[in-house]
Amino acid sequence: MAAKKSLDAIRNIGIMAHIDAGKTTTTERMLFYSGRVHKLGEVDKGTATMDWMSQEQERGITITSAATACNWRDFIINIIDTPGHVDFTVEVERSLRVLDGAVGIFCAVAGVQPQSEAVWRQADRYKVPRIAYINKMDRIGADFFQAVKMIREKLGANTIPVQIPIGVEDSFQGVIDIIAKKAYVYDDERGEHYQSRDLTDEEAVEAQKHYSFMLEKLAEYDDEILEKYLEGYEISVEEINRSLRIATISNKVVPVLCGSSFKNKGVQMLLEAIVGYLPSPLDMPPVKGMHPMTGEMLERYPDLEEPFSALAFKVAVDPYVGKLTYFRIYSGKLKNGAYVMNPGKDKRERITKILRMHANHREEIEEANAGDIVAGVGLRDTVTGDTLCAEKSEILLESINFPEPVIDVAIEPKTKADQDKIGESLKRLAEEDPTFRTKMDEESGQTIISGMGELHLEIIIDRLLREFKVNANVGKPQVSYKETIKKRSRAEYKFEKQTGGRGQFGHVVLELLPAEEGQGKRFINRSNPEQIPKEFVPAVEKGALEALQAGILAGYPVDDLEIILIGGSFHEVDSSEPAYKIAAAMAVKEALKNAQTALMEPIMDIEILSPEEYVGDVISDLNARRGRVLGLDENRESKLVKGSVPLAETFGYATSLRSLTQGRASFSMLLKNYAELPESKSKEIIARRYGLPV
């Protein structure tokens, strides 16, 4: 029973939002008011506990998701503070995969911004229950009700305000609790003390309006509330909170709170809402997986008596303890020094230390249980998305999907010593970050590193030079183009080699078919086992997919197509896996020649917030960059220009926009899709790729 009680008192939550909405500041305040830290950390001064990397402190942004824990009343809240910048979207993705609930933070001035929309959709995908917190109520232009309206309309969220602000901008003093019908007013700078008072007549009228709205919403999902509401009975605070909790956990409603984290107002009520409305591990459905050998579907319940199962969601290199693997335990318990299985890699691993993390500080613990988020030392082969489980009760949990990189940079070590160092350093960085890829350019001999955006690669290069002490020349960022096919194509290739003794024989017939944008590469086997025995099909698949890594137009990866193996033949003695692999690769190259290949480029969704007097210049500049304006929204004194623009045209855009608008405009971008390049641009890129005159 004690175990059940402790699980019931755990909250695993993420803090997510657009860049600069106040995620890290809010987390810092939570840690302060819960007694986890004794000094208020500030992002702008580089003193935030959660932004511990030097790159984060210098830029005043969060780059890597940091995990911590605090106690509020009798509850343990495990918090992951995620980045808001689009380049680090993977940090949000992997955190949401292992969390039970989330707090979406919105700026009271800007409301729903592009990245807050992106992270909200990520949370939708993982069905994560949420509460919304409208921050920065003290800022000029703050509008609580407009922000709530935007969350409802833009995100499709069924919002229920459980608080409304007292005052706004400079006169923001506190909040009205709609459920308890009380006002909470802050009277000191540090926000540690606040007074509770009765509502004024004017406040009571406003609160009653929102109270009725809340009951009407809850009555849609709760028959007890509906019955009491229709018959005019008094509904207690406990009944409303119980009903709100159930509706939030089942993703039917989103409670909305407000405050100003920077001015230390409203954070204690947010902590109350987290423990009150967001789920414990016991409220979540059992985690599903399959048996790695039989494929049988399995479930694991959040119970200490169940076999151990966990998902690794992050790898970090710690200068003191080496490789740290963060994982969420879904069932069972884990002791220090225990052996676990990594069923995806069929490896047995030993956990030498279990650590409870507080940003970059570590606390060694002897045992971790279901519901815990901890880090382990000693896991050599485990990477992000891998399952860890008990040796005799294997289960393979669903992994995490990561987006493809869109931008490349060439990097060249300066000396032979740097050459050796760079390989090891890049390997360690790629282990930490699944959206960071490296490859060798065979023609130039350079190492090409790929990432999610200019800032992403800038941070990686900064870490290479500073953290790993690698001396290297770094090229200019280049767009990660793709190639695709526009028509069906068929090819056949027979690989025969006789070198005395046993020969090599592989023969395949395959077809390439265009697929929809974003579908990726798919291999389908429609051959007859009499033509190609089953044991050779994986070699055909491997050869075919490897051949797509460099297309025939300009050597870019080929994507969005289906490869269908339709036939071939085999030789009883000479057939071998290498022969089929080569035959498949050559057949794909042949088929690409007749498939009408085209170059594709990444297109970004862009939103530019600009003072009205500069909007004309901003739009002209966007059009000159092959961009399209898709809409223009009023945003108080500013205009919000919405559009799309090719990524290739956005390098250095921040500097351009600054000079166009005297530094008064801001913008944000998000990958929208890949689209075919205009013919003139395509010819230019192909010529440049092969060093020909443009």
Side-chain angles (χ1 to χ4, degrees), residues 7-46:
L7 268 175
D8 201 25
I10 291 174
R11 300 288 180 271
N12 289 318
I13 65 141
I15 308 286
M16 58 183 213
H18 186 87
I19 190 165
D20 208 28
K23 292 177 301 302
T24 302
T25 303
T26 304
T27 309
E28 292 294 324
R29 299 307 185 262
M30 286 183 185
L31 297 177
F32 176 71
Y33 295 126
S34 64
R36 187 73 175 84
V37 298
H38 302 291
K39 197 172 83 197
L40 284 168
E42 302 296 357
V43 175
D44 297 346
K45 294 177 185 169

mmCIF file of all heavy atoms in Angstrom, residues 7-46:
data_model
loop_
_atom_site.group_PDB
_atom_site.id
_atom_site.type_symbol
_atom_site.label_atom_id
_atom_site.label_comp_id
_atom_site.label_asym_id
_atom_site.label_seq_id
_atom_site.Cartn_x
_atom_site.Cartn_y
_atom_site.Cartn_z
ATOM 1 N N LEU A 7 3.422 6.240 -5.430
ATOM 2 C CA LEU A 7 3.198 6.439 -6.867
ATOM 3 C C LEU A 7 2.122 7.489 -7.103
ATOM 4 O O LEU A 7 2.198 8.284 -8.029
ATOM 5 C CB LEU A 7 2.761 5.120 -7.519
ATOM 6 C CG LEU A 7 3.862 4.233 -8.098
ATOM 7 C CD1 LEU A 7 3.272 2.923 -8.585
ATOM 8 C CD2 LEU A 7 4.573 4.923 -9.242
ATOM 9 N N ASP A 8 1.123 7.474 -6.250
ATOM 10 C CA ASP A 8 0.016 8.417 -6.358
ATOM 11 C C ASP A 8 0.484 9.858 -6.134
ATOM 12 O O ASP A 8 -0.140 10.811 -6.598
ATOM 13 C CB ASP A 8 -1.028 8.030 -5.293
ATOM 14 C CG ASP A 8 -2.394 8.577 -5.639
ATOM 15 O OD1 ASP A 8 -2.638 8.807 -6.836
ATOM 16 O OD2 ASP A 8 -3.211 8.776 -4.718
ATOM 17 N N ALA A 9 1.592 9.992 -5.421
ATOM 18 C CA ALA A 9 2.088 11.331 -5.066
ATOM 19 C C ALA A 9 3.167 11.835 -6.024
ATOM 20 O O ALA A 9 3.829 12.824 -5.753
ATOM 21 C CB ALA A 9 2.634 11.298 -3.640
ATOM 22 N N ILE A 10 3.353 11.134 -7.172
ATOM 23 C CA ILE A 10 4.374 11.569 -8.149
ATOM 24 C C ILE A 10 3.695 12.279 -9.311
ATOM 25 O O ILE A 10 2.638 11.856 -9.786
ATOM 26 C CB ILE A 10 5.174 10.346 -8.675
ATOM 27 C CG1 ILE A 10 6.045 9.759 -7.565
ATOM 28 C CG2 ILE A 10 6.048 10.723 -9.867
ATOM 29 C CD1 ILE A 10 6.756 8.469 -7.949
ATOM 30 N N ARG A 11 4.307 13.370 -9.777
ATOM 31 C CA ARG A 11 3.862 14.052 -10.997
ATOM 32 C C ARG A 11 5.076 14.190 -11.906
ATOM 33 O O ARG A 11 6.078 14.802 -11.518
ATOM 34 C CB ARG A 11 3.290 15.446 -10.703
ATOM 35 C CG ARG A 11 2.089 15.470 -9.779
ATOM 36 C CD ARG A 11 0.827 14.922 -10.442
ATOM 37 N NE ARG A 11 -0.312 14.959 -9.537
ATOM 38 C CZ ARG A 11 -0.645 13.980 -8.703
ATOM 39 N NH1 ARG A 11 0.101 12.885 -8.642
ATOM 40 N NH2 ARG A 11 -1.699 14.077 -7.933
ATOM 41 N N ASN A 12 5.009 13.604 -13.107
ATOM 42 C CA ASN A 12 6.081 13.758 -14.093
ATOM 43 C C ASN A 12 5.607 14.740 -15.148
ATOM 44 O O ASN A 12 4.742 14.409 -15.960
ATOM 45 C CB ASN A 12 6.406 12.406 -14.746
ATOM 46 C CG ASN A 12 7.104 11.475 -13.780
ATOM 47 O OD1 ASN A 12 7.976 11.896 -13.034
ATOM 48 N ND2 ASN A 12 6.721 10.211 -13.766
ATOM 49 N N ILE A 13 6.147 15.949 -15.122
ATOM 50 C CA ILE A 13 5.603 16.987 -16.020
ATOM 51 C C ILE A 13 6.703 17.655 -16.838
ATOM 52 O O ILE A 13 7.870 17.681 -16.451
ATOM 53 C CB ILE A 13 4.816 18.060 -15.231
ATOM 54 C CG1 ILE A 13 5.747 18.847 -14.281
ATOM 55 C CG2 ILE A 13 3.667 17.453 -14.461
ATOM 56 C CD1 ILE A 13 5.428 20.292 -14.208
ATOM 57 N N GLY A 14 6.289 18.199 -17.973
ATOM 58 C CA GLY A 14 7.198 18.981 -18.814
ATOM 59 C C GLY A 14 6.713 20.410 -18.872
ATOM 60 O O GLY A 14 5.510 20.684 -18.737
ATOM 61 N N ILE A 15 7.656 21.327 -19.025
ATOM 62 C CA ILE A 15 7.313 22.742 -19.214
ATOM 63 C C ILE A 15 7.611 23.035 -20.677
ATOM 64 O O ILE A 15 8.748 22.874 -21.123
ATOM 65 C CB ILE A 15 8.171 23.655 -18.313
ATOM 66 C CG1 ILE A 15 8.115 23.186 -16.845
ATOM 67 C CG2 ILE A 15 7.751 25.098 -18.434
ATOM 68 C CD1 ILE A 15 6.845 23.463 -16.122
ATOM 69 N N MET A 16 6.592 23.436 -21.451
ATOM 70 C CA MET A 16 6.814 23.618 -22.890
ATOM 71 C C MET A 16 6.191 24.920 -23.370
ATOM 72 O O MET A 16 5.167 25.365 -22.852
ATOM 73 C CB MET A 16 6.217 22.436 -23.654
ATOM 74 C CG MET A 16 4.739 22.245 -23.401
ATOM 75 S SD MET A 16 4.089 20.805 -24.239
ATOM 76 C CE MET A 16 2.433 21.391 -24.581
ATOM 77 N N ALA A 17 6.832 25.535 -24.380
ATOM 78 C CA ALA A 17 6.314 26.797 -24.921
ATOM 79 C C ALA A 17 7.198 27.294 -26.045
ATOM 80 O O ALA A 17 8.238 26.713 -26.355
ATOM 81 C CB ALA A 17 6.265 27.865 -23.822
ATOM 82 N N HIS A 18 6.783 28.414 -26.635
ATOM 83 C CA HIS A 18 7.585 29.127 -27.633
ATOM 84 C C HIS A 18 8.797 29.742 -26.923
ATOM 85 O O HIS A 18 8.763 29.977 -25.721
ATOM 86 C CB HIS A 18 6.713 30.233 -28.247
ATOM 87 C CG HIS A 18 7.344 30.959 -29.390
ATOM 88 N ND1 HIS A 18 7.247 30.521 -30.685
ATOM 89 C CD2 HIS A 18 8.085 32.088 -29.435
ATOM 90 C CE1 HIS A 18 7.893 31.362 -31.476
ATOM 91 N NE2 HIS A 18 8.410 32.323 -30.741
ATOM 92 N N ILE A 19 9.841 30.032 -27.693
ATOM 93 C CA ILE A 19 11.037 30.667 -27.113
ATOM 94 C C ILE A 19 10.648 31.991 -26.449
ATOM 95 O O ILE A 19 9.808 32.731 -26.965
ATOM 96 C CB ILE A 19 12.120 30.870 -28.201
ATOM 97 C CG1 ILE A 19 13.448 31.286 -27.567
ATOM 98 C CG2 ILE A 19 11.683 31.839 -29.286
ATOM 99 C CD1 ILE A 19 14.628 31.154 -28.511
ATOM 100 N N ASP A 20 11.193 32.245 -25.267
ATOM 101 C CA ASP A 20 10.989 33.508 -24.545
ATOM 102 C C ASP A 20 9.588 33.689 -23.945
ATOM 103 O O ASP A 20 9.170 34.793 -23.666
ATOM 104 C CB ASP A 20 11.320 34.703 -25.463
ATOM 105 C CG ASP A 20 11.783 35.918 -24.654
ATOM 106 O OD1 ASP A 20 12.333 35.703 -23.559
ATOM 107 O OD2 ASP A 20 11.575 37.062 -25.089
ATOM 108 N N ALA A 21 8.839 32.579 -23.757
ATOM 109 C CA ALA A 21 7.528 32.712 -23.104
ATOM 110 C C ALA A 21 7.666 32.639 -21.585
ATOM 111 O O ALA A 21 6.726 32.925 -20.857
ATOM 112 C CB ALA A 21 6.579 31.626 -23.598
ATOM 113 N N GLY A 22 8.879 32.222 -21.110
ATOM 114 C CA GLY A 22 9.117 32.216 -19.666
ATOM 115 C C GLY A 22 9.151 30.838 -19.042
ATOM 116 O O GLY A 22 8.888 30.684 -17.847
ATOM 117 N N LYS A 23 9.511 29.806 -19.821
ATOM 118 C CA LYS A 23 9.539 28.432 -19.280
ATOM 119 C C LYS A 23 10.567 28.294 -18.162
ATOM 120 O O LYS A 23 10.279 27.806 -17.082
ATOM 121 C CB LYS A 23 9.909 27.421 -20.387
ATOM 122 C CG LYS A 23 8.886 27.253 -21.461
ATOM 123 C CD LYS A 23 9.339 26.307 -22.543
ATOM 124 C CE LYS A 23 10.607 26.743 -23.220
ATOM 125 N NZ LYS A 23 10.565 28.069 -23.834
ATOM 126 N N THR A 24 11.812 28.723 -18.468
ATOM 127 C CA THR A 24 12.892 28.519 -17.492
ATOM 128 C C THR A 24 12.661 29.383 -16.255
ATOM 129 O O THR A 24 12.871 28.932 -15.129
ATOM 130 C CB THR A 24 14.256 28.818 -18.148
ATOM 131 O OG1 THR A 24 14.387 27.949 -19.288
ATOM 132 C CG2 THR A 24 15.401 28.566 -17.196
ATOM 133 N N THR A 25 12.189 30.621 -16.452
ATOM 134 C CA THR A 25 11.906 31.504 -15.301
ATOM 135 C C THR A 25 10.832 30.872 -14.412
ATOM 136 O O THR A 25 10.946 30.867 -13.181
ATOM 137 C CB THR A 25 11.449 32.895 -15.788
ATOM 138 O OG1 THR A 25 12.471 33.427 -16.629
ATOM 139 C CG2 THR A 25 11.192 33.838 -14.632
ATOM 140 N N THR A 26 9.793 30.303 -15.032
ATOM 141 C CA THR A 26 8.715 29.664 -14.260
ATOM 142 C C THR A 26 9.257 28.468 -13.485
ATOM 143 O O THR A 26 8.947 28.280 -12.301
ATOM 144 C CB THR A 26 7.565 29.232 -15.198
ATOM 145 O OG1 THR A 26 7.116 30.381 -15.926
ATOM 146 C CG2 THR A 26 6.407 28.634 -14.425
ATOM 147 N N THR A 27 10.100 27.659 -14.143
ATOM 148 C CA THR A 27 10.701 26.496 -13.462
ATOM 149 C C THR A 27 11.557 26.949 -12.285
ATOM 150 O O THR A 27 11.513 26.354 -11.201
ATOM 151 C CB THR A 27 11.559 25.669 -14.448
ATOM 152 O OG1 THR A 27 10.790 25.391 -15.611
ATOM 153 C CG2 THR A 27 12.011 24.362 -13.832
ATOM 154 N N GLU A 28 12.342 28.006 -12.499
ATOM 155 C CA GLU A 28 13.182 28.549 -11.411
ATOM 156 C C GLU A 28 12.326 28.939 -10.211
ATOM 157 O O GLU A 28 12.682 28.678 -9.064
ATOM 158 C CB GLU A 28 13.955 29.788 -11.899
ATOM 159 C CG GLU A 28 15.024 29.501 -12.932
ATOM 160 C CD GLU A 28 16.173 28.662 -12.410
ATOM 161 O OE1 GLU A 28 16.556 28.827 -11.233
ATOM 162 O OE2 GLU A 28 16.677 27.820 -13.169
ATOM 163 N N ARG A 29 11.174 29.580 -10.469
ATOM 164 C CA ARG A 29 10.293 30.007 -9.370
ATOM 165 C C ARG A 29 9.689 28.792 -8.657
ATOM 166 O O ARG A 29 9.534 28.780 -7.447
ATOM 167 C CB ARG A 29 9.158 30.910 -9.900
ATOM 168 C CG ARG A 29 9.619 32.210 -10.558
ATOM 169 C CD ARG A 29 10.559 33.003 -9.662
ATOM 170 N NE ARG A 29 10.918 34.298 -10.210
ATOM 171 C CZ ARG A 29 12.043 34.572 -10.867
ATOM 172 N NH1 ARG A 29 12.933 33.616 -11.065
ATOM 173 N NH2 ARG A 29 12.299 35.783 -11.304
ATOM 174 N N MET A 30 9.351 27.766 -9.416
ATOM 175 C CA MET A 30 8.814 26.544 -8.792
ATOM 176 C C MET A 30 9.832 25.951 -7.826
ATOM 177 O O MET A 30 9.487 25.527 -6.718
ATOM 178 C CB MET A 30 8.489 25.500 -9.877
ATOM 179 C CG MET A 30 7.274 25.787 -10.696
ATOM 180 S SD MET A 30 7.060 24.391 -11.833
ATOM 181 C CE MET A 30 5.708 24.968 -12.798
ATOM 182 N N LEU A 31 11.091 25.916 -8.261
ATOM 183 C CA LEU A 31 12.151 25.357 -7.414
ATOM 184 C C LEU A 31 12.348 26.213 -6.162
ATOM 185 O O LEU A 31 12.590 25.701 -5.077
ATOM 186 C CB LEU A 31 13.471 25.274 -8.196
ATOM 187 C CG LEU A 31 13.475 24.341 -9.420
ATOM 188 C CD1 LEU A 31 14.810 24.412 -10.151
ATOM 189 C CD2 LEU A 31 13.185 22.905 -9.008
ATOM 190 N N PHE A 32 12.225 27.526 -6.318
ATOM 191 C CA PHE A 32 12.430 28.438 -5.188
ATOM 192 C C PHE A 32 11.299 28.299 -4.164
ATOM 193 O O PHE A 32 11.545 28.125 -2.971
ATOM 194 C CB PHE A 32 12.526 29.885 -5.698
ATOM 195 C CG PHE A 32 12.640 30.906 -4.600
ATOM 196 C CD1 PHE A 32 13.812 31.018 -3.856
ATOM 197 C CD2 PHE A 32 11.579 31.748 -4.297
ATOM 198 C CE1 PHE A 32 13.919 31.960 -2.830
ATOM 199 C CE2 PHE A 32 11.681 32.687 -3.280
ATOM 200 C CZ PHE A 32 12.856 32.794 -2.542
ATOM 201 N N TYR A 33 10.032 28.358 -4.638
ATOM 202 C CA TYR A 33 8.904 28.317 -3.697
ATOM 203 C C TYR A 33 8.732 26.948 -3.054
ATOM 204 O O TYR A 33 8.144 26.834 -1.988
ATOM 205 C CB TYR A 33 7.603 28.740 -4.396
ATOM 206 C CG TYR A 33 7.639 30.182 -4.841
ATOM 207 C CD1 TYR A 33 7.385 30.541 -6.159
ATOM 208 C CD2 TYR A 33 7.968 31.196 -3.942
ATOM 209 C CE1 TYR A 33 7.442 31.855 -6.576
ATOM 210 C CE2 TYR A 33 8.036 32.515 -4.347
ATOM 211 C CZ TYR A 33 7.783 32.843 -5.660
ATOM 212 O OH TYR A 33 7.859 34.148 -6.063
ATOM 213 N N SER A 34 9.268 25.889 -3.717
ATOM 214 C CA SER A 34 9.156 24.555 -3.111
ATOM 215 C C SER A 34 10.335 24.264 -2.189
ATOM 216 O O SER A 34 10.428 23.191 -1.607
ATOM 217 C CB SER A 34 9.085 23.492 -4.213
ATOM 218 O OG SER A 34 10.289 23.492 -4.954
ATOM 219 N N GLY A 35 11.282 25.223 -2.098
ATOM 220 C CA GLY A 35 12.432 25.050 -1.204
ATOM 221 C C GLY A 35 13.565 24.241 -1.802
ATOM 222 O O GLY A 35 14.526 23.897 -1.118
ATOM 223 N N ARG A 36 13.480 23.938 -3.118
ATOM 224 C CA ARG A 36 14.543 23.138 -3.771
ATOM 225 C C ARG A 36 15.809 23.974 -3.940
ATOM 226 O O ARG A 36 16.919 23.471 -3.875
ATOM 227 C CB ARG A 36 14.038 22.634 -5.131
ATOM 228 C CG ARG A 36 14.975 21.656 -5.833
ATOM 229 C CD ARG A 36 14.930 20.311 -5.126
ATOM 230 N NE ARG A 36 15.712 19.272 -5.780
ATOM 231 C CZ ARG A 36 17.013 19.076 -5.619
ATOM 232 N NH1 ARG A 36 17.700 19.867 -4.841
ATOM 233 N NH2 ARG A 36 17.632 18.095 -6.217
ATOM 234 N N VAL A 37 15.627 25.278 -4.239
ATOM 235 C CA VAL A 37 16.778 26.193 -4.280
ATOM 236 C C VAL A 37 16.452 27.373 -3.364
ATOM 237 O O VAL A 37 15.293 27.655 -3.085
ATOM 238 C CB VAL A 37 17.090 26.693 -5.717
ATOM 239 C CG1 VAL A 37 17.469 25.557 -6.629
ATOM 240 C CG2 VAL A 37 15.938 27.484 -6.315
ATOM 241 N N HIS A 38 17.494 28.057 -2.917
ATOM 242 C CA HIS A 38 17.269 29.139 -1.940
ATOM 243 C C HIS A 38 17.599 30.514 -2.498
ATOM 244 O O HIS A 38 17.668 31.488 -1.771
ATOM 245 C CB HIS A 38 18.073 28.853 -0.664
ATOM 246 C CG HIS A 38 17.700 27.535 -0.067
ATOM 247 N ND1 HIS A 38 16.485 27.299 0.517
ATOM 248 C CD2 HIS A 38 18.374 26.351 -0.032
ATOM 249 C CE1 HIS A 38 16.424 26.036 0.920
ATOM 250 N NE2 HIS A 38 17.554 25.444 0.590
ATOM 251 N N LYS A 39 17.822 30.556 -3.820
ATOM 252 C CA LYS A 39 18.127 31.827 -4.464
ATOM 253 C C LYS A 39 17.371 31.869 -5.776
ATOM 254 O O LYS A 39 17.321 30.870 -6.495
ATOM 255 C CB LYS A 39 19.635 31.902 -4.724
ATOM 256 C CG LYS A 39 20.133 33.298 -5.015
ATOM 257 C CD LYS A 39 21.647 33.315 -5.076
ATOM 258 C CE LYS A 39 22.062 32.875 -6.453
ATOM 259 N NZ LYS A 39 23.355 32.464 -6.697
ATOM 260 N N LEU A 40 16.768 33.004 -6.103
ATOM 261 C CA LEU A 40 16.036 33.121 -7.362
ATOM 262 C C LEU A 40 17.017 33.251 -8.520
ATOM 263 O O LEU A 40 17.773 34.223 -8.589
ATOM 264 C CB LEU A 40 15.110 34.350 -7.328
ATOM 265 C CG LEU A 40 13.827 34.206 -6.501
ATOM 266 C CD1 LEU A 40 13.170 35.553 -6.304
ATOM 267 C CD2 LEU A 40 12.858 33.256 -7.168
ATOM 268 N N GLY A 41 17.016 32.264 -9.431
ATOM 269 C CA GLY A 41 17.894 32.329 -10.609
ATOM 270 C C GLY A 41 17.245 33.142 -11.708
ATOM 271 O O GLY A 41 16.026 33.127 -11.866
ATOM 272 N N GLU A 42 18.041 33.882 -12.475
ATOM 273 C CA GLU A 42 17.514 34.706 -13.567
ATOM 274 C C GLU A 42 18.151 34.297 -14.888
ATOM 275 O O GLU A 42 19.376 34.191 -14.992
ATOM 276 C CB GLU A 42 17.799 36.202 -13.318
ATOM 277 C CG GLU A 42 17.223 36.752 -12.018
ATOM 278 C CD GLU A 42 15.698 36.725 -11.945
ATOM 279 O OE1 GLU A 42 15.060 36.320 -12.929
ATOM 280 O OE2 GLU A 42 15.142 37.078 -10.899
ATOM 281 N N VAL A 43 17.315 34.106 -15.920
ATOM 282 C CA VAL A 43 17.805 33.722 -17.247
ATOM 283 C C VAL A 43 18.682 34.824 -17.827
ATOM 284 O O VAL A 43 19.765 34.580 -18.353
ATOM 285 C CB VAL A 43 16.605 33.429 -18.193
ATOM 286 C CG1 VAL A 43 17.085 33.156 -19.609
ATOM 287 C CG2 VAL A 43 15.802 32.246 -17.664
ATOM 288 N N ASP A 44 18.204 36.081 -17.734
ATOM 289 C CA ASP A 44 18.927 37.210 -18.354
ATOM 290 C C ASP A 44 20.309 37.422 -17.749
ATOM 291 O O ASP A 44 21.217 37.915 -18.399
ATOM 292 C CB ASP A 44 18.110 38.511 -18.228
ATOM 293 C CG ASP A 44 16.786 38.415 -18.978
ATOM 294 O OD1 ASP A 44 16.660 37.456 -19.782
ATOM 295 O OD2 ASP A 44 15.908 39.246 -18.763
ATOM 296 N N LYS A 45 20.466 37.047 -16.474
ATOM 297 C CA LYS A 45 21.772 37.238 -15.823
ATOM 298 C C LYS A 45 22.643 35.989 -15.924
ATOM 299 O O LYS A 45 23.750 35.952 -15.405
ATOM 300 C CB LYS A 45 21.559 37.587 -14.342
ATOM 301 C CG LYS A 45 20.883 38.942 -14.140
ATOM 302 C CD LYS A 45 20.630 39.192 -12.661
ATOM 303 C CE LYS A 45 19.841 40.481 -12.471
ATOM 304 N NZ LYS A 45 19.368 40.611 -11.090
ATOM 305 N N GLY A 46 22.099 34.937 -16.559
ATOM 306 C CA GLY A 46 22.877 33.698 -16.706
ATOM 307 C C GLY A 46 22.989 32.916 -15.409
ATOM 308 O O GLY A 46 23.890 32.114 -15.232
#
